[in-house]
Amino acid sequence: MMVQRDETWKASSRGVCLVTRITATVRTPSGNIQAEPYTSSGTSYSQFAIIQVGVNKFQVTRVVSNKRRK
């Protein structure tokens, strides 16, 4: 599944399955970079984001709130 910058992807359903790992590859002008994956023993959380944490360094993280600051 390819998701563009600032784009949101939604699954139609995952049933009762818990999320244990989410991986991502970020396409940059420097080439494809593997983001540090999100791992868990099993979570029911369903919102995640890829954030930049350094130069050519990215991380998949759980979104704890979707409220935007003004």
Side-chain angles (χ1 to χ4, degrees), residues 32-49:
N32 293 345
I33 298 172
Q34 293 293 323
E36 181 182 330
Y38 171 86
T39 58
S40 169
S41 58
T43 183
S44 61
Y45 287 105
S46 59
Q47 293 186 329
F48 299 88

Side-chain angles (χ1 to χ4, degrees), residues 1-10 48-50 68:
M1 164 62 55
M2 184 183 295
V3 179
Q4 299 298 323
R5 181 182 183 145
D6 296 325
E7 187 177 66
T8 300
W9 174 80
K10 284 187 176 186
F48 299 88
I50 302 165
R68 302 223 176 208

Side-chain angles (χ1 to χ4, degrees), residues 1-2 6 10 18 30 35 42 60 67 70:
M1 164 62 55
M2 184 183 295
D6 296 325
K10 284 187 176 186
L18 298 177
S30 302
V60 181
K67 294 180 182 176
K70 293 183 179 183

Side-chain angles (χ1 to χ4, degrees), residues 16-28:
V16 295
C17 297
L18 298 177
V19 174
T20 57
R21 184 175 178 87
I22 297 177
T23 61
T25 301
V26 180
R27 290 185 178 188
T28 74

